[in-house]
């Protein structure tokens, strides 16, 4: 009897200790637990006020917060995902992964792009999309010519999508009712050729290479080009910069491809599953990448604006040995590899651009719809206008708005909707018009290649000429 | 606060039990009362004052009633004491319903509708109102002595394990336990095991099936703007799909409700309360009458003791008995929700109970166990449609699709997980029809475990608990590889 009592007592005490384990782990952060892969929106701790408590908002938000913040969460999520994967071949990576044939994984927008011309994130109709892309291509053309005058090479690198290089592993298209929409991939290609824009389309090159090499250009469980493919692309890009700049750079040496231990991010899609056990994968080749010094080599400065495809280049290629600096303006928002700036908002754009030797726009097929992420417009404005001039034009636009009844009425309605004062709505509208619809509101952009320059650009030009 | 939430499972429950067991025995009721008020105030902050005030009022009314020697005075005080909780129930639960119907009638007769402000329904009001009634009537009838301390009475009404969704604990069932109770270590562990069983029923079965049912039928409380869309979908529903959806809901509601009751009973047992059982394998019933002896047993007992018998039961002739039965189920339907679909649901159950008494019961007995269980299950499944679909027109269309014999396109959106869960739900629902199923149930629910069994069951319970927490939260994690701007 005593022994039974002892057993149940021990079990009950153990239960009490275990009940507090998640709370303690969450608040003390001990023991450390391997965090979950992937990015999600951070759920903030809710604000407790009398109103949020009484209307239940605080309680609902706290529950949501606790779903993301409780002890041992990664373990429980992995455990449940592993169960779903083992028994039902599914996980809760909602909409982030599409399972193809023979265990190949794709991001769903690549599948969409392959079968339906890729309008995954595009809400616009084809016609306005074409207009937007045409305008963007023309801005690239303008920017390329302006930067050329300052000895800066602007060029575009179109990265291939995994869908185009390995379509044989794509899942069958089950949706037959959607019409094929405009493809940014082919549209930009035509525009770039038509306007003579510096660009490298790596897609055809990859397709040719695919049958001649015995390594994978895209990892089976990853979304970006493989380490070795990225290295070949990087080498070509650097040669392109050399040729355009008329300089000699240190050489990138690519060693013999050999099967190696999987390196990040070659299994980034698999990681997103957040399973307990790794999946079986096709072997991946890796090559040793070194920079070989060249006599009289110049280390240029290259700014890269683009999507995540550049990560693989940065991750494997010894960029510091090849470039003086190589800031990476990720989606023209966060800045990496730059000790001075963290976001593009902090940057003096004209000054930064004119101090570079090359500017590369690198986008994969599904991101072409957001080509440059507004970088070109911002750069054109920065190179052609001073702030004071823009303010004057904005004041003029504000005056025009106030004298145009139709326009004013439209803004009044919007002010009502967003609960703004009419004055601030007018300022907002004028500012947006001047800084975004530059072709309509800024006279310099009426010309094919603007000749007007901002003070910074002018100063730079004078110093070059001297 | 609901049991199947992180706030409860990972914070409230551990913190509460820690304080509860660390405090001296004499103060534990106060701890439980305070925790119960916090629990209620968390989910219904606007109504905590009404709950407390009405409880205090009722306590003193009953005290006054018991102290009154005059029979007439006692009767009056009893009526007032019953009228307080039932009045609140009427106002809060049926206020909107009454006004909507009144305005509909006014509209039909060409009168202008009356304006009123919609009333929010306090959670758990249906349960604590009934418990309040049982306290008044049990003391009035002299079944139990009234509680001496206000805090004990408040504890009986607001005790968090059964506050929100029952079981409806009659005062006579727990009167002694409120004053004094014992809980051995084994009781506490078995309470925990029972809680985990309930949690698994809710999270691993009911919620999984529920997601699928909601996708097919829309949310339980339909916005009027959604009715058109759902009607279009239902009007062309394939018969196979309609049956599968109805079956899915049949299992969902059982595992949801039974799971919640298990959790409540388990939590109570940890503290030494022996709450009455609420479910006894209802889908193995051989008639609707038997179904109501097995489904929501505490409600059945309440209706029997506090409504059917006071109405005259079967003592006033056969005709009156049928009327009483039917009326009880009609009101039971209305108790489940203030909408006409619940009235229809209750009326149909009442109808089948009357038919059982008339002839159906005998027929069911004659045809044997398996056919009668199947027929009863099918009947219950069809009637559940009226419980799930609030719009009567939609519900009726759905039922017609179940008998349209149109097998043109199966569109049930379940996946392997849902189908497996449905199969598991079906197995557990009918398990006790077999001898070994009954043995297993007895072993799991009603046997004192040996040391060795405790260790194994403890480990399994912990693993199931972790798995439930994992399932509860897994859906919240849906990452992207990289943020795209």
């Amino acid at each position: 009897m005593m022994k039974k009592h002892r057993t149940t007592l021990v079990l009950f005490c153990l239960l009490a200790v275990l009940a507090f384990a998640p709370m303690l782990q969450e608040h003390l952060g001990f023991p450390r637990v391997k965090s979950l892969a992937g990015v999600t929106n951070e759920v903030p701790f809710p604000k407790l006020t009398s109103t949020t408590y009484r209307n239940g908002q605080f309680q609902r938000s706290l529950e949501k917060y606790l779903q993301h913040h409780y002890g041992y969460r990664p373990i429980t999520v992995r455990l449940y995902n592993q169960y779903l994967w083992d028994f039902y071949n599914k996980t809760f990576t909602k909409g982030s992964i599409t399972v193809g044939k023979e265990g190949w994984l794709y991001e769903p927008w690549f599948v969409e792009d392959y079968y339906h011309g890729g309008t995954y994130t595009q809400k616009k109709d084809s016609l306005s999309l074409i207009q937007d892309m045409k305008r963007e291509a023309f801005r690239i053309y303008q920017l390329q010519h302006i930067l050329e005058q300052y000895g800066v090479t602007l060029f575009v690198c179109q990265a291939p999508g995994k869908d185009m290089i390995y379509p044989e592993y794509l899942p069958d298209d089950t949706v037959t009712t959607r019409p094929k929409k405009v493809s940014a991939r082919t549209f930009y290609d035509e525009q770039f050729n038509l306007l003579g824009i510096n660009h490298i389309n790596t897609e055809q090159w990859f397709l040719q290479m695919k049958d001649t090499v015995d390594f994978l250009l895209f990892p089976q469980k990853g979304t970006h080009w493989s380490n070795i493919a990225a290295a070949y692309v990087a080498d070509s890009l650097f040669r392109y910069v050399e040729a355009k700049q008329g300089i000699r750079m240190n050489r990138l040496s690519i060693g013999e491809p050999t099967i190696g231990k999987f390196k990040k991010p070659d299994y980034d899609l698999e990681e997103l599953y957040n399973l307990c056990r790794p999946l079986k994968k096709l072997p991946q080749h890796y090559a040793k990448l070194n920079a070989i010094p060249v006599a009289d080599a110049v280390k240029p400065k290259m700014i890269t604006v683009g999507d995540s495809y550049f990560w693989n280049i940065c991750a494997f290629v010894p960029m510091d040995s090849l470039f003086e600096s190589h800031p990476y303006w990720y989606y023209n928002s966060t800045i990496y590899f730059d000790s001075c700036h963290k976001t593009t908002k902090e940057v003096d754009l004209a000054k930064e651009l004119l101090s570079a030797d090359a500017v590369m726009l690198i986008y994969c097929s599904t991101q072409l719809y957001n080509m440059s992420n507004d970088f070109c417009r911002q750069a054109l404005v920065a190179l052609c206008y001073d702030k004071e001039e823009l303010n004057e034009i904005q004041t003029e636009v504000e005056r025009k708005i106030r004298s145009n009844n139709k326009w004013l009425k439209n803004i009044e309605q919007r002010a009502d909707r967003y609960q703004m004062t009419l004055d601030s709505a007018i300022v907002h509208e004028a500012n947006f018009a001047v800084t975004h619809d530059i072709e309509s509101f800024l006279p310099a952009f009426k010309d094919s290649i603007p000749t007007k320059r901002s003070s910074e650009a002018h100063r730079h030009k004078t110093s070059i000429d001297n | 606060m609901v049991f199947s939430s992180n706030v409860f499972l990972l914070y409230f429950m551990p913190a509460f039990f820690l304080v509860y067991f660390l405090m001296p025995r004499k103060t534990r009721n106060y701890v439980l009362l305070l925790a119960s008020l916090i629990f209620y105030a968390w989910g219904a902050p606007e109504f905590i004052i009404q709950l407390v005030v009405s409880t205090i009022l009722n306590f003193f009314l009953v005290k006054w009633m018991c102290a009154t020697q005059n029979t007439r005075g006692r009767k009056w005080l009893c009526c007032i004491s019953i009228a307080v909780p039932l009045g609140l129930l009427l106002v809060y639960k049926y206020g909107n319903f009454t006004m909507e119907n009144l305005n509909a009638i006014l509209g039909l007769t060409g009168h202008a509708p009356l304006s009123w402000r919609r009333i929010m329904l306090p959670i758990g009001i249906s349960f604590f109102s009934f418990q309040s009634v049982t306290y008044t009537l049990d003391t009035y009838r002299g079944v139990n002595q009234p509680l001496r301390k206000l805090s004990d009475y408040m504890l009986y009404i607001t005790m968090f394990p059964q506050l929100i969704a029952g079981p409806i604990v009659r005062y006579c069932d727990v009167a002694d336990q409120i004053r004094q109770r014992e809980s051995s270590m084994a009781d506490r562990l078995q309470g925990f095991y029972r809680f985990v069983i309930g949690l698994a029923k809710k999270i691993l079965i009911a919620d999984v099936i529920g997601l699928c049912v909601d996708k097919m039928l829309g949310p339980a409380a339909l916005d009027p703007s959604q009715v058109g869309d759902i009607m279009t979908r239902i009007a062309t529903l394939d018969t196979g799909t309609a049956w599968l959806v109805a079956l899915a809901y049949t299992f969902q509601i059982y595992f949801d409700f039974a799971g919640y009751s298990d959790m409540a009973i388990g939590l109570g047992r940890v503290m030494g309360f022996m709450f009455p059982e609420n479910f006894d394998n209802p889908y193995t019933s051989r008639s609707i009458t038997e179904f109501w002896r097995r489904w929501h047993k505490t409600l059945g007992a309440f209706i029997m003791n506090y409504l059917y018998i006071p109405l005259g039961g079967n003592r006033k002739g056969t005709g009156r008995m049928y009327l009483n039965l039917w009326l009880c189920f009609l009101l039971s339907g209305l108790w489940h929700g203030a909408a006409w679909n619940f009235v229809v649901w209750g009326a149909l159950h009442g109808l089948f109970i009357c038919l059982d008494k008339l002839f159906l019961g005998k027929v069911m007995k004659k045809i044997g166990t398996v056919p009668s269980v199947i027929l009863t299950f099918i009947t219950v499944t069809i009637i559940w449609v009226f419980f799930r679909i609030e719009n009567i027109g939609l519900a009726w269309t759905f039922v017609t699709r179940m008998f349209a014999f149109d097998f043109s396109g199966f569109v049930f959106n379940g996946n392997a997980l849902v189908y497996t869960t449905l199969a598991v739900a079906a197995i557990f629902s009918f398990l006790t029809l077999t001898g070994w199923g009954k043995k297993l149930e007895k072993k799991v629910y009603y046997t004192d475990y040996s040391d060795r069994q405790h260790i194994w069951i403890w480990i399994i319970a912990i693993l199931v608990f972790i798995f439930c927490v994992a399932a509860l939260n897994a859906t919240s994690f849906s990452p992207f590889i990289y943020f795209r701007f």
Side-chain angles (χ1 to χ4, degrees), chain B residues 134-331:
Chain B
T134 76
Y135 176 74
T136 305
L137 287 175
D138 283 354
T139 47
Y140 176 76
R141 290 169 181 172
V143 181
N144 292 92
Q145 286 298 307
L147 288 161
R148 272 184 291 176
K149 287 200 278 184
L150 171 66
S151 60
D152 283 350
Y153 175 66
M154 286 184 78
L155 177 63
Y156 164 63
I157 297 295
T158 63
M159 206 187 311
F160 77 83
Q162 40 79 50
L163 176 64
I164 310 276
I168 300 167
V169 182
R170 288 159 63 193
Y171 176 57
C172 58
D173 291 332
V174 289
D176 296 334
Q177 294 166 29
I178 287 175
R179 293 189 193 98
Q180 196 175 18
R181 60 187 175 275
E182 291 294 328
S183 72
S184 65
M185 286 298 160
D187 274 336
R188 292 174 195 176
L189 288 177
Q190 287 199 317
F192 169 66
Y193 307 152
R194 186 67 185 268
F195 179 83
V196 173
I197 290 172
L199 190 66
K201 280 183 182 174
K202 165 84 179 124
I203 294 177
L204 303 182
I205 297 180
D207 287 356
V208 173
I209 298 172
L211 273 177
C212 204
V213 172
D214 285 354
K215 271 185 199 163
M216 297 299 291
L217 299 178
L222 264 186
D223 189 84
S225 62
Q226 295 172 296
V227 172
D229 281 349
I230 308 272
M231 182 60 107
T232 316
R233 201 186 314 158
I234 285 178
T236 54
L237 207 60
D238 153 272
T239 297
T241 311
W243 272 102
L244 201 52
V245 172
L247 275 176
Y249 182 66
T250 302
F251 290 123
Q252 183 205 343
I253 190 158
Y254 171 49
F255 281 90
D256 194 285
F257 200 1
Y260 206 93
S261 292
D262 280 338
M263 287 190 267
I265 292 167
L267 287 171
R269 187 154 184 194
V270 174
M271 292 179 276
F273 286 101
M274 302 303 277
F275 293 150
E277 289 295 334
N278 221 10
F279 292 89
D280 178 15
N281 305 294
Y283 294 149
T284 60
S285 306
R286 287 178 297 171
S287 66
I288 295 293
T289 308
E290 189 185 342
F291 174 79
W292 275 101
R293 271 187 236 122
R294 293 170 176 272
W295 176 274
H296 204 172
K297 289 163 71 179
T298 56
L299 175 69
F302 180 90
I303 288 174
M304 168 71 94
N305 287 298
Y306 302 101
L307 191 61
Y308 178 69
I309 294 172
L311 279 172
N314 57 4
R315 301 185 307 275
K316 295 189 175 175
T318 317
R320 180 64 186 267
M321 178 189 75
Y322 288 125
L323 181 70
N324 287 345
L325 274 174
W326 198 68
L327 200 65
C328 283
F329 278 92
L330 207 67
L331 289 173

Side-chain angles (χ1 to χ4, degrees), chain B residues 114-148:
Chain B
L114 300 170
S115 66
W116 94 102
R117 226 181 75 189
R118 283 198 79 81
I119 304 167
M120 289 282 287
L121 179 69
I123 47 170
I125 192 166
S126 311
F127 291 92
F128 62 71
S129 304
F130 273 19
Q131 294 208 164
S132 198
V133 170
T134 76
Y135 176 74
T136 305
L137 287 175
D138 283 354
T139 47
Y140 176 76
R141 290 169 181 172
V143 181
N144 292 92
Q145 286 298 307
L147 288 161
R148 272 184 291 176

Side-chain angles (χ1 to χ4, degrees), chain B residues 407-452:
Chain B
F407 297 95
S408 52
F410 188 73
V411 289
F412 188 73
N413 62 351
N415 49 32
L417 173 63
V418 174
Y419 288 123
T420 311
T421 309
L422 278 173
V424 170
I427 290 168
F428 279 108
S429 296
F430 298 106
L431 197 67
T432 51
L433 280 175
T434 61
W436 61 270
K438 268 185 196 149
K439 271 187 198 164
L440 183 71
E441 187 194 36
K442 200 177 162 198
K443 190 90 191 157
V444 172
Y445 284 106
Y446 310 111
T447 311
D448 286 333
Y449 301 127
S450 66
D451 266 9
R452 211 181 152 82

Side-chain angles (χ1 to χ4, degrees), chain A residues 81-236:
Chain A
N81 280 346
Q82 188 70 52
Y83 154 74
L84 288 180
W85 181 261
D86 286 345
F87 289 93
Y88 309 107
N89 200 23
K90 67 171 264 192
T91 67
F92 276 110
T93 44
K94 272 186 243 159
S96 300
I97 304 175
T98 300
V99 182
K101 292 167 190 158
E102 296 177 32
W104 278 67
L105 304 178
Y106 297 86
E107 282 187 286
W109 29 95
F110 284 99
V111 182
E112 178 80 12
D113 189 55
Y114 186 81
Y115 287 123
H116 302 284
T119 47
Y120 182 79
T121 52
Q122 277 299 328
K123 304 273 187 289
K124 292 177 178 173
D125 61 74
S126 296
L127 216 64
S128 58
L129 185 63
I130 288 171
Q131 274 175 356
D132 282 358
M133 290 196 291
K134 223 175 202 172
R135 191 178 59 183
E136 190 60 34
F138 196 71
R139 284 176 182 175
I140 298 172
Y141 163 78
Q142 289 176 316
L143 187 61
Q144 178 186 308
H145 280 278
I146 292 174
L147 286 176
E148 233 165 42
Q149 293 169 6
Y150 297 86
V152 183
T153 303
L154 174 79
F155 67 105
V156 182
C157 173
Q158 290 166 269
K162 190 178 176 181
D163 56 313
M164 295 307 290
I165 309 305
Y166 291 103
E168 60 273 34
Y169 301 113
L170 283 170
D172 293 327
D173 186 27
T174 51
V175 185
T176 50
T177 51
R178 277 173 297 182
K180 203 165 171 86
K181 295 187 180 161
V182 63
S183 162
R185 203 172 49 236
T186 49
F187 185 82
Y188 269 124
D189 219 31
E190 284 166 15
Q191 288 292 310
F192 290 164
N193 286 326
L194 193 74
L195 296 168
I197 292 170
N198 300 328
H199 75 289
I200 302 169
N201 188 344
T202 54
E203 190 177 294
Q204 283 307 316
W205 182 44
F206 263 64
L207 283 171
Q208 284 163 16
M209 192 162 52
K210 180 188 164 189
D211 298 325
T212 58
V213 294
D214 52 7
F215 51 81
L216 290 173
L217 299 174
F218 278 83
Q220 188 195 22
K221 310 279 195 229
T223 196
H224 301 103
W225 43 30
S226 64
N227 138 288
I228 199 156
Y232 282 116
V233 170
D235 188 47
S236 304

